[in-house]
Amino acid sequence: MLEIKNLKASIDGAPILNGIDLKIKPGEIHAIMGPNGSGKSTLANVLAGREEFEVTSGEVTYCGHNLLELAPEERAREGLFLAFQYPVEIPGVSNTYFLKTALNEIRKHQGLEEIDAADFLALVKQRMKTVDLDESLLKRPVNEGFSGGEKKKNEIFQMAVLEPKLSILDETDSGLDIDALKVVANGVNALKDNKNAFLVVTHYQRLLEYIVPDFVHVLYKGKIVKSGGRELALELEAKGYDWLKNGNGQGS
Amino acid sequence: MSTEIEKIESLTKKEYKYGFVSDIEADTFPPGLNDDVIQALSLKKNEPQFLTEWRLKAFHHWQTMKEPRWAKVHYPEIDYQAISYYSAPMKKPKYNSLDDVDPELLKTYEKLGIPLAEREKLAGVAVDAVFDSVSVATTFKEKLSELGIIFCSFTDAAQNYPDLVKKYLGSVVPMTDNFFAALNSAVFSDGSFVYVPKGVRCPMELSTYFRINAAETGQFERTLIVADEGSYVSYLEGCTAPMRDENQLHAAVVELVALKDAQIKYSTVQNWYPGDTKGKGGIYNFVTKRGICKGDHSKISWTQVETGSAITWKYPSVILKGDRTVGEFYSVAMTNNYQQADTGTKMIHLGKNTSSTIVSKGISAGRSNNSYRGLVKILKNAHNARNFSQCDSLLIGDKCGAHTFPYIEVNNTSSKIEHEATTSKIGEDQIFYLNQRGISTEDAVSMIVNGYCKEVFRELPMEFAVEAQNLLSLSLEGSVG
């Protein structure tokens, strides 16, 4: 589904990603871990097409497309979803209106008709349950006045409605209490099937207790320095990121 | 990041495709202004003697006045002797059916959601059996007259209801008020007159569209609306469709009078020709709009969506004379390219327990300049007056300007005034967020802007609100059509 080859990216001339290789197949959950500043969020944002990052070399193939050639909205319509680390507020635009517009853009791209109001409402109500989001938030402007936890849940809720092929979760767990964390994880687990895939970016292995990854990659100084299974996350937790700095991670 | 800005800029550089029309057969005065011209104008319109004298008095006062230069707008000197002050419309339909009309223009109408019948009228099509707007207007008029509501052109009113006109004309905006109001008083071409009798609630929105012969009111429009005790009226002015005009200077005056327990709601959508993308041409819109809450417990509410004109200079105001009166001002002013807007309101509190609300949303794009200028004045006897003002500015791109000039004068210690102001830029974060959900940058900008204006749009009558939203989106689009 996604194949990244030797991806390098920089911001304002400073290199951040220094050659990433990664392959994700349908049905898989990959976790990217790493210390602060290792390039985790950059990777998530580059894949989503944020313009402030400049891709200096490498290739990314996504569902048969050259991902780097697609505009951010085209990537989204092709089923690539980013759950933001810091979801932004859009004053005056209701959550429902926003989400319906987004869903219809994707449907239009797929050659489907726009969803009618009743069907949309039914879908939304059903998906709200998976993330335990208060119904009143639907009528409120996008993320405006939402608590930190509500914002993150709202991201997962959008994901549940839009049903992406590849979901990238950018530190969705940061700032969440354990209950909210479980809700987020339940949302992901409920969505998971053998056709879609997840790339979970996180600093702590805590989230991975609830979203069990098939693969864990450790990012350090813009490179994947170690890959392994679920147990790698635990090892990292036990030994700390200093373990990498001592050179143990190199050369894997 | 700069590419994002460029992208936004290219989106906001829409062109106004429908320039000026000039092929109108008209009975026109030669340029110039003097006593003879005014007398001839008044004679042409068959006006009563008092009005002719009133015009002359205004003209003589105007001659002693200087053009104001305090607004934050710049334009070349206007030669008032080079303007023709009378042009009788003898407009013939330009087309026989919509099939003959420029399809691009029709597309614009469609995008704006303008009803089919209205499109014909706007495009200058002879209205035929398909939809006879004259007969609709006639039924409309009959219904109103059953209730005793007068709704006619100003010229008709001067002939048929001279007492009402004499009583209220200039009672809110005196002929000496300001340079442009004085000029208007001397040479006003036509406009609307509305009188709603005691206790009558006007059952429909009064729109200039339904007024026969409304098409050509000319550049010096004069509107007078009187709501008698306990009455209610909602008036819609303007049109979201692009308005063409061969006159560059527009100086209108609108006066509203609300007697005891009466309510007037006045909504405007203004989309005059703004000039080309380099700022050439375009309408100068110098308007004086003022209402007086004359009787106790009356209310006047102004709602405006201003997207057109090269220069907009207007401050719809309310004088809160009666006790417990309410004044409201909701405004969206959008400027693009080289447009300039200096707009806002004045709330003058005279009565006790009066309250006013100001919500102003400025949007600047391109190289435009957008200023909010507002005065809240609480006089000595206005006990327990309240005011809430919110002035927000939104910047699109990095070459435009937004300015806020709030003036507050308080002469009574029991009053309470709140003022909030914000300036924000459309965030690249916001656009990227919407992009990431499959929404194009163009739609994202329009969604963000419409969200920002929501508090004002919800004050507009329903159909108008939808049109206004479409209009804003169109104004932001790369091109019309």
Side-chain angles (χ1 to χ4, degrees):
Chain A
M1 177 183 282
L2 181 78
E3 187 166 7
I4 305 174
K5 279 186 195 160
N6 192 32
L7 179 68
K8 293 184 183 175
S10 61
I11 183 164
D12 298 331
I16 301 193
L17 299 181
N18 297 310
I20 304 268
D21 292 285
L22 184 66
K23 215 170 167 175
I24 298 177
K25 291 195 194 115
E28 293 178 349
I29 298 182
H30 289 244
I32 300 261
M33 298 186 70
N36 289 329
S38 58
K40 300 187 302 281
S41 282
T42 302
L43 177 61
N45 279 289
V46 165
L47 293 177
R50 195 165 202 133
E51 287 195 14
E52 56 194 86
F53 299 101
E54 195 196 343
V55 174
T56 48
S57 73
E59 282 173 35
V60 183
T61 317
Y62 166 74
C63 297
H65 299 277
N66 177 353
L67 186 74
L68 300 177
E69 276 184 357
L70 299 180
E73 62 270 27
E74 291 167 333
R75 301 181 194 197
R77 291 171 197 161
E78 283 290 336
L80 187 147
F81 181 92
L82 174 67
F84 284 69
Q85 186 177 3
Y86 305 109
V88 299
E89 300 184 0
I90 319 238
V93 177
S94 85
N95 227 357
T96 320
Y97 176 69
F98 156 67
L99 198 51
K100 196 174 167 200
T101 309
L103 182 62
N104 280 330
E105 288 294 344
I106 293 166
R107 289 177 65 96
K108 229 190 305 176
H109 185 72
Q110 293 170 341
L112 298 171
E113 274 183 34
E114 293 201 353
I115 190 165
D116 81 74
D119 290 347
F120 178 71
L121 202 68
L123 173 73
V124 156
K125 286 202 166 162
Q126 192 242 324
R127 296 298 148 95
M128 285 203 100
K129 283 186 198 137
T130 58
V131 287
D132 184 34
L133 202 63
D134 194 88
E135 222 172 281
S136 68
L137 296 185
L138 274 180
K139 290 186 190 119
R140 299 237 308 262
V142 180
N143 293 323
E144 202 184 35
F146 285 29
S147 70
E150 282 169 341
K151 282 184 185 173
K152 295 294 177 75
K153 282 190 201 171
N154 195 25
E155 294 292 292
I156 302 302
F157 165 61
Q158 290 172 33
M159 184 175 85
V161 172
L162 300 178
E163 297 179 333
K165 286 187 219 154
L166 175 64
S167 304
I168 304 167
L169 277 62
D170 185 8
E171 303 208 23
T172 302
D173 53 334
S174 67
L176 288 190
D177 62 28
I178 194 74
D179 293 328
L181 195 73
K182 279 185 191 164
V183 167
V184 166
N186 288 343
V188 172
N189 291 329
L191 272 175
K192 193 195 169 215
D193 61 27
N194 57 8
K195 287 191 202 75
N196 57 25
F198 294 84
L199 181 63
V200 181
V201 173
T202 180
H203 187 80
Y204 304 103
Q205 77 90 32
R206 194 176 62 152
L207 178 66
L208 306 181
E209 285 174 20
Y210 304 99
I211 302 174
V212 180
D214 301 298
F215 300 94
V216 174
H217 311 277
V218 181
L219 198 63
Y220 185 64
K221 290 188 176 168
K223 277 188 129 164
I224 290 176
V225 293
K226 218 170 174 55
S227 294
R230 164 89 183 90
E231 65 292 344
L232 181 59
L234 295 169
E235 195 179 352
L236 209 55
E237 172 97 336
K239 296 182 179 168
Y241 285 119
D242 281 344
W243 172 53
L244 298 170
K245 290 175 194 164
N246 297 332
N248 290 318
Q250 303 296 339
S252 65
Chain B
M1 258 187 248
S2 64
T3 51
E4 190 68 19
I5 290 169
E6 278 162 25
K7 211 193 245 175
I8 296 171
E9 267 174 14
S10 72
L11 285 177
T12 54
K13 264 183 207 148
K14 68 134 197 182
E15 272 182 46
Y16 194 100
K17 287 192 177 168
Y18 314 106
F20 296 114
V21 276
S22 52
D23 53 347
I24 299 169
E25 280 181 55
D27 165 12
T28 304
F29 280 10
L33 187 56
N34 53 43
D35 282 20
D36 293 344
V37 167
I38 288 168
Q39 267 163 340
L41 169 68
S42 194
L43 191 68
K44 275 262 184 203
K45 295 168 119 6
N46 210 3
E47 287 175 351
Q49 184 63 25
F50 84 89
L51 202 49
T52 315
E53 283 163 14
W54 197 77
R55 284 177 181 274
L56 284 169
K57 221 173 132 187
F59 174 59
H60 297 149
H61 186 79
W62 178 75
Q63 286 178 306
T64 68
M65 298 174 97
K66 271 205 172 118
E67 201 174 321
R69 286 287 173 182
W70 46 263
K72 200 174 163 40
V73 295
H74 303 279
Y75 56 93
E77 202 76 36
I78 298 169
D79 181 0
Y80 293 93
Q81 293 300 335
I83 295 171
S84 166
Y85 289 88
Y86 182 77
S87 175
M90 300 200 303
K91 203 174 177 184
K92 285 180 188 162
K94 291 203 298 286
Y95 309 105
N96 291 319
S97 87
L98 274 178
D99 299 338
D100 304 335
V101 177
D102 180 359
E104 286 296 307
L105 182 63
L106 295 179
K107 235 191 254 172
T108 309
Y109 292 164
E110 203 179 310
K111 279 193 172 179
L112 289 167
I114 293 167
L116 203 69
E118 244 171 287
R119 287 182 211 171
E120 293 188 325
K121 185 165 173 150
L122 289 166
V125 172
V127 178
D128 56 21
V130 180
F131 183 91
D132 184 352
S133 79
V134 175
S135 72
V136 165
T138 309
T139 4
F140 190 80
K141 269 197 140 174
E142 274 169 15
K143 213 165 166 183
L144 291 177
S145 69
E146 272 170 34
L147 293 163
I149 297 170
I150 303 168
F151 179 34
C152 61
S153 75
F154 204 97
T155 304
D156 287 353
Q159 287 164 15
N160 302 328
Y161 313 98
D163 295 346
L164 278 173
V165 170
K166 197 172 178 182
K167 186 171 176 189
Y168 290 107
L169 179 68
S171 70
V172 193
V173 180
M175 60 168 75
T176 54
D177 191 78
N178 68 68
F179 185 83
F180 296 111
L183 178 63
N184 175 288
S185 302
V187 301
F188 66 83
S189 28
D190 209 339
S192 304
F193 176 79
V194 177
Y195 173 78
V196 189
K198 269 185 197 174
V200 172
R201 190 183 166 88
C202 186
M204 59 267 274
E205 318 270 357
L206 294 184
S207 147
T208 39
Y209 167 61
F210 285 108
R211 208 190 59 221
I212 299 172
N213 297 330
E216 290 290 316
T217 41
Q219 57 187 141
F220 300 103
E221 195 168 346
R222 184 101 200 178
T223 301
L224 175 59
I225 298 176
V226 181
D228 214 325
E229 292 180 13
S231 68
Y232 169 86
V233 63
S234 167
Y235 186 89
L236 310 182
E237 169 200 53
C239 179
T240 52
M243 290 297 277
R244 306 174 279 186
D245 197 288
E246 51 191 318
N247 304 308
Q248 187 161 41
L249 173 68
H250 278 240
V253 171
V254 177
E255 296 180 280
L256 310 181
V257 182
L259 300 180
K260 191 167 171 286
D261 298 321
Q263 262 193 56
I264 302 175
K265 187 172 168 61
Y266 193 104
S267 314
T268 307
V269 171
Q270 187 262 114
N271 187 23
W272 292 104
Y273 181 59
D276 65 18
T277 49
K278 297 201 177 63
K280 264 191 81 176
I283 303 282
Y284 298 169
N285 195 24
F286 301 143
V287 184
T288 307
K289 287 184 167 175
R290 196 176 302 152
I292 182 165
C293 289
K294 210 169 177 190
D296 292 350
H297 196 240
S298 54
K299 178 177 171 181
I300 289 178
S301 187
W302 297 101
T303 307
Q304 60 171 20
V305 177
E306 303 277 323
T307 64
S309 296
I311 302 175
T312 300
W313 182 94
K314 69 181 261 201
Y315 314 90
S317 305
V318 184
I319 301 167
L320 299 143
K321 188 162 183 271
D323 293 344
R324 292 175 293 125
T325 51
V326 177
E328 291 175 337
F329 174 73
Y330 298 96
S331 167
V332 166
M334 151 129 199
T335 53
N336 199 350
N337 297 318
Y338 284 86
Q339 278 177 279
Q340 309 171 65
D342 194 306
T343 181
T345 183
K346 287 188 272 187
M347 293 290 174
I348 315 291
H349 293 250
L350 299 165
K352 297 179 186 68
N353 299 308
T354 48
S355 78
S356 60
T357 304
I358 299 170
V359 177
S360 161
K361 303 273 182 179
I363 303 155
S364 331
R367 291 171 179 274
S368 67
N369 253 306
N370 203 325
S371 303
Y372 167 81
R373 190 184 301 276
L375 170 68
V376 176
K377 192 169 182 175
I378 314 279
L379 281 100
K380 215 171 75 201
N381 295 323
H383 298 288
N384 298 316
R386 295 274 179 277
N387 166 264
F388 172 75
S389 303
Q390 186 187 332
C391 307
D392 297 330
S393 311
L394 186 69
L395 301 166
I396 302 176
D398 57 358
K399 293 187 185 71
C400 52
H403 317 271
T404 307
F405 305 99
Y407 303 87
I408 298 171
E409 285 176 37
V410 180
N411 298 305
N412 185 309
T413 51
S414 64
S415 60
K416 194 175 158 190
I417 292 184
E418 288 174 74
H419 182 94
E420 288 177 12
T422 65
T423 303
S424 50
K425 277 188 79 166
I426 284 201
E428 278 152 33
D429 284 354
Q430 288 175 319
I431 292 173
F432 180 66
Y433 189 77
L434 296 175
N435 283 162
Q436 215 303 305
R437 296 300 182 255
I439 299 163
S440 70
T441 301
E442 191 165 305
D443 291 345
V445 169
S446 128
M447 193 184 265
I448 293 165
V449 169
N450 276 307
Y452 165 79
C453 299
K454 198 173 192 174
E455 285 159 280
V456 175
F457 286 162
R458 69 170 169 228
E459 297 297 327
L460 287 171
M462 194 54 184
E463 325 86 80
F464 230 38
V466 174
E467 284 188 27
Q469 276 192 31
N470 293 342
L471 173 64
L472 264 201
S473 305
L474 264 188
S475 306
L476 288 160
E477 249 180 47
S479 62
V480 177

